[in-house]
Amino acid sequence: DIQMTQSPSSLSASVGDRVTITCRASRSISSYLNWYQQKPGKAPNLLIYAASSLQSGVPSRFSGSGSGTDFTLTISSLQPDDFATYYCQQSYSSYTFGQGTKLEIK
Amino acid sequence: QVQLQESGPGLVKPSETLSLTCSVSGGSISNYYWSWIRQPPGKGLEWIGYIYDSGTTKYNPSLESRVTISVDTSKTQLSLKLRSVTAADTAVYYCATLVGPTDHFDFWGQGTLVTVSS
């Protein structure tokens, strides 16, 4: 199984901040990495697929990068709607998710 | 746009079978890979399995011995059966489309909470 580890597990930030969340795979997954945003009581929402492709309708302040084992999700300027939990997910071998990063208001 | 709606009992007794249905609208059930994913309260996401072409399935090895996913094309529904449940199977269960070639989960249902308790 491929394990996905996100860091940090939680993060406090302010509106307007630039935020980066990291996801590390236990072995190389090429670019088979997706990012989701989940708000309380809601289903996850796809933000980024194939490591760096922005899903249609997702604001351009979200971006993804990386390949192999190390990936990042960056929010260039936090907006109030962005406070949520973020998950990475690999699709190189079966499908596994990271444990999540909870982004809270400072 | 595809819309998904999960339904089923909210309470299941230990050792019994959890049965859920996902109703599909806005798209052909034959055109997608369909997945089930679950999330225990306050925890992360776990992929359960998928079905495509109305019959080809792949399951999470950790659940494979207890899971069956099927599709009823006439009813545009997919179903999930999880046998011999325990409290560890308590979770919100989601159905979702799985889109290739990079296999991301695109459209999701709103989820349904299933509690395993006597």
Side-chain angles (χ1 to χ4, degrees), chain B residues 57-100:
Chain B
T57 54
K58 180 176 179 179
Y59 300 123
N60 186 324
S62 69
L63 298 169
E64 186 166 14
S65 63
R66 299 194 290 132
V67 173
T68 301
I69 296 175
S70 60
V71 163
D72 183 334
T73 54
S74 63
K75 295 182 179 179
T76 61
Q77 291 180 336
L78 63 152
S79 69
L80 169 70
K81 292 189 186 299
L82 181 64
R83 296 174 290 278
S84 304
V85 297
T86 70
D89 295 310
T90 294
V92 175
Y93 286 77
Y94 297 99
C95 56
T97 56
L98 178 62
V99 178

mmCIF file of all heavy atoms in Angstrom, chain B residues 57-100:
data_model
loop_
_atom_site.group_PDB
_atom_site.id
_atom_site.type_symbol
_atom_site.label_atom_id
_atom_site.label_comp_id
_atom_site.label_asym_id
_atom_site.label_seq_id
_atom_site.Cartn_x
_atom_site.Cartn_y
_atom_site.Cartn_z
ATOM 1 N N THR B 57 -15.341 -4.811 -11.167
ATOM 2 C CA THR B 57 -15.142 -4.185 -9.868
ATOM 3 C C THR B 57 -13.693 -4.284 -9.397
ATOM 4 O O THR B 57 -12.943 -5.161 -9.828
ATOM 5 C CB THR B 57 -16.036 -4.842 -8.797
ATOM 6 O OG1 THR B 57 -15.795 -6.265 -8.796
ATOM 7 C CG2 THR B 57 -17.501 -4.577 -9.057
ATOM 8 N N LYS B 58 -13.345 -3.364 -8.501
ATOM 9 C CA LYS B 58 -12.072 -3.412 -7.796
ATOM 10 C C LYS B 58 -12.350 -2.896 -6.394
ATOM 11 O O LYS B 58 -13.045 -1.892 -6.219
ATOM 12 C CB LYS B 58 -11.015 -2.541 -8.475
ATOM 13 C CG LYS B 58 -9.657 -2.559 -7.778
ATOM 14 C CD LYS B 58 -8.627 -1.747 -8.543
ATOM 15 C CE LYS B 58 -7.284 -1.749 -7.844
ATOM 16 N NZ LYS B 58 -6.255 -0.987 -8.597
ATOM 17 N N TYR B 59 -11.781 -3.592 -5.403
ATOM 18 C CA TYR B 59 -12.058 -3.253 -4.017
ATOM 19 C C TYR B 59 -10.776 -2.950 -3.247
ATOM 20 O O TYR B 59 -9.699 -3.456 -3.583
ATOM 21 C CB TYR B 59 -12.802 -4.399 -3.328
ATOM 22 C CG TYR B 59 -14.135 -4.759 -3.960
ATOM 23 C CD1 TYR B 59 -14.395 -6.055 -4.401
ATOM 24 C CD2 TYR B 59 -15.135 -3.798 -4.117
ATOM 25 C CE1 TYR B 59 -15.612 -6.394 -4.971
ATOM 26 C CE2 TYR B 59 -16.360 -4.127 -4.693
ATOM 27 C CZ TYR B 59 -16.593 -5.421 -5.119
ATOM 28 O OH TYR B 59 -17.808 -5.742 -5.691
ATOM 29 N N ASN B 60 -10.939 -2.185 -2.179
ATOM 30 C CA ASN B 60 -9.849 -1.980 -1.228
ATOM 31 C C ASN B 60 -9.524 -3.336 -0.601
ATOM 32 O O ASN B 60 -10.413 -4.006 -0.073
ATOM 33 C CB ASN B 60 -10.300 -0.980 -0.166
ATOM 34 C CG ASN B 60 -9.195 -0.584 0.790
ATOM 35 O OD1 ASN B 60 -8.348 -1.386 1.149
ATOM 36 N ND2 ASN B 60 -9.219 0.651 1.213
ATOM 37 N N PRO B 61 -8.263 -3.770 -0.680
ATOM 38 C CA PRO B 61 -7.917 -5.095 -0.131
ATOM 39 C C PRO B 61 -8.322 -5.273 1.330
ATOM 40 O O PRO B 61 -8.648 -6.388 1.753
ATOM 41 C CB PRO B 61 -6.395 -5.151 -0.293
ATOM 42 C CG PRO B 61 -6.120 -4.239 -1.444
ATOM 43 C CD PRO B 61 -7.111 -3.124 -1.318
ATOM 44 N N SER B 62 -8.340 -4.185 2.077
ATOM 45 C CA SER B 62 -8.675 -4.300 3.499
ATOM 46 C C SER B 62 -10.156 -4.600 3.728
ATOM 47 O O SER B 62 -10.545 -5.010 4.817
ATOM 48 C CB SER B 62 -8.303 -3.000 4.221
ATOM 49 O OG SER B 62 -9.158 -1.940 3.808
ATOM 50 N N LEU B 63 -10.991 -4.405 2.703
ATOM 51 C CA LEU B 63 -12.429 -4.621 2.819
ATOM 52 C C LEU B 63 -12.952 -5.669 1.852
ATOM 53 O O LEU B 63 -14.127 -6.057 1.927
ATOM 54 C CB LEU B 63 -13.179 -3.298 2.570
ATOM 55 C CG LEU B 63 -12.893 -2.165 3.548
ATOM 56 C CD1 LEU B 63 -13.480 -0.861 3.016
ATOM 57 C CD2 LEU B 63 -13.451 -2.484 4.925
ATOM 58 N N GLU B 64 -12.094 -6.130 0.956
ATOM 59 C CA GLU B 64 -12.526 -6.941 -0.186
ATOM 60 C C GLU B 64 -13.353 -8.163 0.198
ATOM 61 O O GLU B 64 -14.304 -8.528 -0.503
ATOM 62 C CB GLU B 64 -11.302 -7.378 -0.987
ATOM 63 C CG GLU B 64 -11.623 -8.099 -2.278
ATOM 64 C CD GLU B 64 -10.426 -8.199 -3.190
ATOM 65 O OE1 GLU B 64 -9.297 -7.944 -2.722
ATOM 66 O OE2 GLU B 64 -10.610 -8.518 -4.375
ATOM 67 N N SER B 65 -13.019 -8.787 1.319
ATOM 68 C CA SER B 65 -13.721 -10.017 1.697
ATOM 69 C C SER B 65 -15.156 -9.757 2.157
ATOM 70 O O SER B 65 -15.957 -10.692 2.243
ATOM 71 C CB SER B 65 -12.960 -10.718 2.833
ATOM 72 O OG SER B 65 -12.933 -9.900 3.984
ATOM 73 N N ARG B 66 -15.496 -8.487 2.410
ATOM 74 C CA ARG B 66 -16.829 -8.183 2.953
ATOM 75 C C ARG B 66 -17.672 -7.300 2.044
ATOM 76 O O ARG B 66 -18.831 -7.031 2.373
ATOM 77 C CB ARG B 66 -16.683 -7.475 4.311
ATOM 78 C CG ARG B 66 -15.971 -8.273 5.383
ATOM 79 C CD ARG B 66 -16.176 -7.630 6.756
ATOM 80 N NE ARG B 66 -15.467 -6.363 6.884
ATOM 81 C CZ ARG B 66 -16.031 -5.254 7.363
ATOM 82 N NH1 ARG B 66 -17.311 -5.229 7.702
ATOM 83 N NH2 ARG B 66 -15.300 -4.147 7.494
ATOM 84 N N VAL B 67 -17.118 -6.840 0.925
ATOM 85 C CA VAL B 67 -17.779 -5.807 0.118
ATOM 86 C C VAL B 67 -18.285 -6.354 -1.210
ATOM 87 O O VAL B 67 -17.611 -7.165 -1.858
ATOM 88 C CB VAL B 67 -16.791 -4.657 -0.177
ATOM 89 C CG1 VAL B 67 -17.401 -3.668 -1.165
ATOM 90 C CG2 VAL B 67 -16.417 -3.938 1.100
ATOM 91 N N THR B 68 -19.451 -5.848 -1.614
ATOM 92 C CA THR B 68 -19.943 -6.055 -2.971
ATOM 93 C C THR B 68 -20.521 -4.738 -3.475
ATOM 94 O O THR B 68 -21.353 -4.121 -2.806
ATOM 95 C CB THR B 68 -21.033 -7.131 -3.040
ATOM 96 O OG1 THR B 68 -20.523 -8.365 -2.546
ATOM 97 C CG2 THR B 68 -21.505 -7.323 -4.479
ATOM 98 N N ILE B 69 -20.066 -4.312 -4.649
ATOM 99 C CA ILE B 69 -20.620 -3.134 -5.318
ATOM 100 C C ILE B 69 -21.265 -3.608 -6.613
ATOM 101 O O ILE B 69 -20.683 -4.412 -7.355
ATOM 102 C CB ILE B 69 -19.528 -2.094 -5.617
ATOM 103 C CG1 ILE B 69 -18.934 -1.548 -4.304
ATOM 104 C CG2 ILE B 69 -20.099 -0.938 -6.444
ATOM 105 C CD1 ILE B 69 -17.756 -0.605 -4.503
ATOM 106 N N SER B 70 -22.456 -3.111 -6.872
ATOM 107 C CA SER B 70 -23.157 -3.497 -8.092
ATOM 108 C C SER B 70 -23.898 -2.298 -8.668
ATOM 109 O O SER B 70 -24.047 -1.266 -8.011
ATOM 110 C CB SER B 70 -24.125 -4.648 -7.822
ATOM 111 O OG SER B 70 -25.086 -4.250 -6.851
ATOM 112 N N VAL B 71 -24.337 -2.453 -9.917
ATOM 113 C CA VAL B 71 -25.051 -1.398 -10.620
ATOM 114 C C VAL B 71 -26.345 -1.956 -11.176
ATOM 115 O O VAL B 71 -26.366 -3.069 -11.699
ATOM 116 C CB VAL B 71 -24.194 -0.820 -11.766
ATOM 117 C CG1 VAL B 71 -25.046 -0.028 -12.745
ATOM 118 C CG2 VAL B 71 -23.095 0.056 -11.220
ATOM 119 N N ASP B 72 -27.411 -1.186 -11.041
ATOM 120 C CA ASP B 72 -28.681 -1.508 -11.678
ATOM 121 C C ASP B 72 -28.921 -0.430 -12.736
ATOM 122 O O ASP B 72 -29.361 0.665 -12.422
ATOM 123 C CB ASP B 72 -29.811 -1.515 -10.640
ATOM 124 C CG ASP B 72 -31.151 -1.929 -11.243
ATOM 125 O OD1 ASP B 72 -31.345 -1.740 -12.469
ATOM 126 O OD2 ASP B 72 -31.997 -2.424 -10.491
ATOM 127 N N THR B 73 -28.581 -0.748 -13.983
ATOM 128 C CA THR B 73 -28.654 0.271 -15.025
ATOM 129 C C THR B 73 -30.083 0.707 -15.303
ATOM 130 O O THR B 73 -30.334 1.858 -15.654
ATOM 131 C CB THR B 73 -27.993 -0.214 -16.320
ATOM 132 O OG1 THR B 73 -28.591 -1.465 -16.693
ATOM 133 C CG2 THR B 73 -26.509 -0.420 -16.123
ATOM 134 N N SER B 74 -31.043 -0.199 -15.123
ATOM 135 C CA SER B 74 -32.438 0.166 -15.396
ATOM 136 C C SER B 74 -32.936 1.197 -14.400
ATOM 137 O O SER B 74 -33.783 2.032 -14.719
ATOM 138 C CB SER B 74 -33.319 -1.074 -15.371
ATOM 139 O OG SER B 74 -33.313 -1.653 -14.083
ATOM 140 N N LYS B 75 -32.407 1.141 -13.180
ATOM 141 C CA LYS B 75 -32.825 2.085 -12.149
ATOM 142 C C LYS B 75 -31.841 3.237 -12.004
ATOM 143 O O LYS B 75 -32.029 4.116 -11.175
ATOM 144 C CB LYS B 75 -32.976 1.375 -10.805
ATOM 145 C CG LYS B 75 -34.085 0.334 -10.777
ATOM 146 C CD LYS B 75 -34.191 -0.287 -9.374
ATOM 147 C CE LYS B 75 -35.309 -1.317 -9.326
ATOM 148 N NZ LYS B 75 -35.403 -1.933 -7.966
ATOM 149 N N THR B 76 -30.766 3.226 -12.799
ATOM 150 C CA THR B 76 -29.678 4.198 -12.670
ATOM 151 C C THR B 76 -29.261 4.342 -11.217
ATOM 152 O O THR B 76 -29.216 5.453 -10.662
ATOM 153 C CB THR B 76 -30.047 5.566 -13.278
ATOM 154 O OG1 THR B 76 -31.177 6.116 -12.591
ATOM 155 C CG2 THR B 76 -30.342 5.445 -14.746
ATOM 156 N N GLN B 77 -28.978 3.187 -10.606
ATOM 157 C CA GLN B 77 -28.536 3.159 -9.224
ATOM 158 C C GLN B 77 -27.325 2.258 -9.082
ATOM 159 O O GLN B 77 -27.189 1.267 -9.807
ATOM 160 C CB GLN B 77 -29.637 2.611 -8.305
ATOM 161 C CG GLN B 77 -30.846 3.504 -8.131
ATOM 162 C CD GLN B 77 -31.882 2.879 -7.210
ATOM 163 O OE1 GLN B 77 -31.947 1.663 -7.031
ATOM 164 N NE2 GLN B 77 -32.717 3.722 -6.617
ATOM 165 N N LEU B 78 -26.462 2.621 -8.133
ATOM 166 C CA LEU B 78 -25.442 1.674 -7.738
ATOM 167 C C LEU B 78 -25.659 1.345 -6.273
ATOM 168 O O LEU B 78 -26.315 2.113 -5.546
ATOM 169 C CB LEU B 78 -24.023 2.187 -7.996
ATOM 170 C CG LEU B 78 -23.500 3.408 -7.281
ATOM 171 C CD1 LEU B 78 -21.982 3.300 -7.149
ATOM 172 C CD2 LEU B 78 -23.833 4.659 -8.045
ATOM 173 N N SER B 79 -25.150 0.209 -5.871
ATOM 174 C CA SER B 79 -25.378 -0.228 -4.511
ATOM 175 C C SER B 79 -24.083 -0.685 -3.856
ATOM 176 O O SER B 79 -23.122 -1.049 -4.524
ATOM 177 C CB SER B 79 -26.417 -1.348 -4.469
ATOM 178 O OG SER B 79 -25.897 -2.512 -5.044
ATOM 179 N N LEU B 80 -24.100 -0.640 -2.537
ATOM 180 C CA LEU B 80 -22.979 -1.096 -1.719
ATOM 181 C C LEU B 80 -23.518 -2.042 -0.674
ATOM 182 O O LEU B 80 -24.511 -1.727 -0.005
ATOM 183 C CB LEU B 80 -22.313 0.099 -1.025
ATOM 184 C CG LEU B 80 -21.286 -0.240 0.057
ATOM 185 C CD1 LEU B 80 -20.024 -0.836 -0.565
ATOM 186 C CD2 LEU B 80 -20.936 1.001 0.880
ATOM 187 N N LYS B 81 -22.874 -3.193 -0.550
ATOM 188 C CA LYS B 81 -23.185 -4.104 0.537
ATOM 189 C C LYS B 81 -21.892 -4.403 1.292
ATOM 190 O O LYS B 81 -20.888 -4.780 0.677
ATOM 191 C CB LYS B 81 -23.824 -5.394 0.022
ATOM 192 C CG LYS B 81 -25.213 -5.177 -0.569
ATOM 193 C CD LYS B 81 -25.904 -6.482 -0.863
ATOM 194 C CE LYS B 81 -27.225 -6.252 -1.583
ATOM 195 N NZ LYS B 81 -28.183 -5.443 -0.776
ATOM 196 N N LEU B 82 -21.941 -4.224 2.598
ATOM 197 C CA LEU B 82 -20.798 -4.504 3.463
ATOM 198 C C LEU B 82 -21.278 -5.461 4.536
ATOM 199 O O LEU B 82 -22.138 -5.111 5.349
ATOM 200 C CB LEU B 82 -20.270 -3.212 4.076
ATOM 201 C CG LEU B 82 -19.049 -3.330 4.985
ATOM 202 C CD1 LEU B 82 -17.836 -3.834 4.195
ATOM 203 C CD2 LEU B 82 -18.729 -1.991 5.643
ATOM 204 N N ARG B 83 -20.710 -6.651 4.523
ATOM 205 C CA ARG B 83 -21.175 -7.727 5.408
ATOM 206 C C ARG B 83 -20.427 -7.724 6.740
ATOM 207 O O ARG B 83 -19.343 -7.162 6.858
ATOM 208 C CB ARG B 83 -20.971 -9.067 4.709
ATOM 209 C CG ARG B 83 -21.800 -9.219 3.438
ATOM 210 C CD ARG B 83 -21.464 -10.503 2.691
ATOM 211 N NE ARG B 83 -20.132 -10.463 2.082
ATOM 212 C CZ ARG B 83 -19.867 -9.881 0.923
ATOM 213 N NH1 ARG B 83 -20.828 -9.284 0.236
ATOM 214 N NH2 ARG B 83 -18.625 -9.906 0.437
ATOM 215 N N SER B 84 -21.049 -8.358 7.721
ATOM 216 C CA SER B 84 -20.421 -8.582 9.036
ATOM 217 C C SER B 84 -19.850 -7.303 9.618
ATOM 218 O O SER B 84 -18.671 -7.231 9.994
ATOM 219 C CB SER B 84 -19.313 -9.653 8.892
ATOM 220 O OG SER B 84 -19.819 -10.841 8.346
ATOM 221 N N VAL B 85 -20.685 -6.287 9.723
ATOM 222 C CA VAL B 85 -20.196 -4.978 10.164
ATOM 223 C C VAL B 85 -19.912 -4.959 11.662
ATOM 224 O O VAL B 85 -20.491 -5.722 12.445
ATOM 225 C CB VAL B 85 -21.186 -3.859 9.796
ATOM 226 C CG1 VAL B 85 -21.340 -3.744 8.283
ATOM 227 C CG2 VAL B 85 -22.540 -4.066 10.475
ATOM 228 N N THR B 86 -19.000 -4.076 12.035
ATOM 229 C CA THR B 86 -18.684 -3.798 13.437
ATOM 230 C C THR B 86 -18.750 -2.288 13.646
ATOM 231 O O THR B 86 -18.952 -1.523 12.690
ATOM 232 C CB THR B 86 -17.284 -4.303 13.806
ATOM 233 O OG1 THR B 86 -16.313 -3.476 13.138
ATOM 234 C CG2 THR B 86 -17.087 -5.761 13.413
ATOM 235 N N ALA B 87 -18.512 -1.868 14.884
ATOM 236 C CA ALA B 87 -18.544 -0.435 15.183
ATOM 237 C C ALA B 87 -17.529 0.334 14.343
ATOM 238 O O ALA B 87 -17.721 1.519 14.051
ATOM 239 C CB ALA B 87 -18.292 -0.218 16.672
ATOM 240 N N ALA B 88 -16.462 -0.325 13.948
ATOM 241 C CA ALA B 88 -15.428 0.325 13.122
ATOM 242 C C ALA B 88 -15.938 0.710 11.731
ATOM 243 O O ALA B 88 -15.283 1.472 11.020
ATOM 244 C CB ALA B 88 -14.210 -0.586 12.988
ATOM 245 N N ASP B 89 -17.085 0.178 11.347
ATOM 246 C CA ASP B 89 -17.672 0.519 10.042
ATOM 247 C C ASP B 89 -18.606 1.719 10.132
ATOM 248 O O ASP B 89 -19.173 2.138 9.114
ATOM 249 C CB ASP B 89 -18.429 -0.685 9.480
ATOM 250 C CG ASP B 89 -17.506 -1.850 9.175
ATOM 251 O OD1 ASP B 89 -16.473 -1.629 8.501
ATOM 252 O OD2 ASP B 89 -17.807 -2.975 9.625
ATOM 253 N N THR B 90 -18.772 2.270 11.316
ATOM 254 C CA THR B 90 -19.554 3.489 11.469
ATOM 255 C C THR B 90 -18.864 4.626 10.718
ATOM 256 O O THR B 90 -17.689 4.924 10.963
ATOM 257 C CB THR B 90 -19.710 3.857 12.956
ATOM 258 O OG1 THR B 90 -20.499 2.869 13.604
ATOM 259 C CG2 THR B 90 -20.370 5.225 13.114
ATOM 260 N N ALA B 91 -19.589 5.253 9.803
ATOM 261 C CA ALA B 91 -18.967 6.264 8.945
ATOM 262 C C ALA B 91 -20.032 6.972 8.115
ATOM 263 O O ALA B 91 -21.170 6.505 8.012
ATOM 264 C CB ALA B 91 -17.951 5.630 7.997
ATOM 265 N N VAL B 92 -19.638 8.085 7.527
ATOM 266 C CA VAL B 92 -20.404 8.671 6.434
ATOM 267 C C VAL B 92 -19.941 7.980 5.162
ATOM 268 O O VAL B 92 -18.736 7.892 4.898
ATOM 269 C CB VAL B 92 -20.183 10.190 6.330
ATOM 270 C CG1 VAL B 92 -20.887 10.753 5.098
ATOM 271 C CG2 VAL B 92 -20.682 10.884 7.598
ATOM 272 N N TYR B 93 -20.891 7.481 4.395
ATOM 273 C CA TYR B 93 -20.591 6.778 3.154
ATOM 274 C C TYR B 93 -20.972 7.666 1.976
ATOM 275 O O TYR B 93 -22.102 8.181 1.916
ATOM 276 C CB TYR B 93 -21.350 5.446 3.097
ATOM 277 C CG TYR B 93 -20.759 4.408 4.024
ATOM 278 C CD1 TYR B 93 -20.989 4.462 5.396
ATOM 279 C CD2 TYR B 93 -19.955 3.383 3.529
ATOM 280 C CE1 TYR B 93 -20.431 3.525 6.256
ATOM 281 C CE2 TYR B 93 -19.400 2.436 4.377
ATOM 282 C CZ TYR B 93 -19.638 2.513 5.733
ATOM 283 O OH TYR B 93 -19.071 1.578 6.582
ATOM 284 N N TYR B 94 -20.006 7.833 1.073
ATOM 285 C CA TYR B 94 -20.202 8.646 -0.123
ATOM 286 C C TYR B 94 -20.118 7.780 -1.371
ATOM 287 O O TYR B 94 -19.286 6.867 -1.443
ATOM 288 C CB TYR B 94 -19.107 9.705 -0.261
ATOM 289 C CG TYR B 94 -19.025 10.742 0.825
ATOM 290 C CD1 TYR B 94 -18.092 10.630 1.855
ATOM 291 C CD2 TYR B 94 -19.839 11.866 0.804
ATOM 292 C CE1 TYR B 94 -17.985 11.606 2.834
ATOM 293 C CE2 TYR B 94 -19.735 12.856 1.787
ATOM 294 C CZ TYR B 94 -18.811 12.706 2.790
ATOM 295 O OH TYR B 94 -18.702 13.680 3.759
ATOM 296 N N CYS B 95 -20.935 8.101 -2.363
ATOM 297 C CA CYS B 95 -20.679 7.608 -3.707
ATOM 298 C C CYS B 95 -20.088 8.753 -4.525
ATOM 299 O O CYS B 95 -20.347 9.934 -4.239
ATOM 300 C CB CYS B 95 -21.932 7.049 -4.373
ATOM 301 S SG CYS B 95 -23.337 8.166 -4.478
ATOM 302 N N ALA B 96 -19.276 8.403 -5.497
ATOM 303 C CA ALA B 96 -18.574 9.420 -6.277
ATOM 304 C C ALA B 96 -18.196 8.861 -7.637
ATOM 305 O O ALA B 96 -18.036 7.652 -7.804
ATOM 306 C CB ALA B 96 -17.316 9.886 -5.535
ATOM 307 N N THR B 97 -18.035 9.766 -8.613
ATOM 308 C CA THR B 97 -17.515 9.338 -9.915
ATOM 309 C C THR B 97 -15.995 9.364 -9.866
ATOM 310 O O THR B 97 -15.392 10.235 -9.225
ATOM 311 C CB THR B 97 -17.995 10.270 -11.034
ATOM 312 O OG1 THR B 97 -17.624 11.623 -10.729
ATOM 313 C CG2 THR B 97 -19.509 10.211 -11.190
ATOM 314 N N LEU B 98 -15.396 8.417 -10.543
ATOM 315 C CA LEU B 98 -13.944 8.318 -10.631
ATOM 316 C C LEU B 98 -13.574 8.582 -12.080
ATOM 317 O O LEU B 98 -14.005 7.854 -12.978
ATOM 318 C CB LEU B 98 -13.494 6.920 -10.206
ATOM 319 C CG LEU B 98 -12.009 6.600 -10.266
ATOM 320 C CD1 LEU B 98 -11.231 7.504 -9.333
ATOM 321 C CD2 LEU B 98 -11.788 5.136 -9.915
ATOM 322 N N VAL B 99 -12.796 9.641 -12.300
ATOM 323 C CA VAL B 99 -12.533 10.106 -13.658
ATOM 324 C C VAL B 99 -11.079 9.886 -14.019
ATOM 325 O O VAL B 99 -10.177 10.315 -13.284
ATOM 326 C CB VAL B 99 -12.898 11.601 -13.793
ATOM 327 C CG1 VAL B 99 -12.579 12.108 -15.191
ATOM 328 C CG2 VAL B 99 -14.369 11.810 -13.469
ATOM 329 N N GLY B 100 -10.846 9.233 -15.145
ATOM 330 C CA GLY B 100 -9.491 9.000 -15.606
ATOM 331 C C GLY B 100 -9.005 10.076 -16.527
ATOM 332 O O GLY B 100 -9.751 11.005 -16.846
#
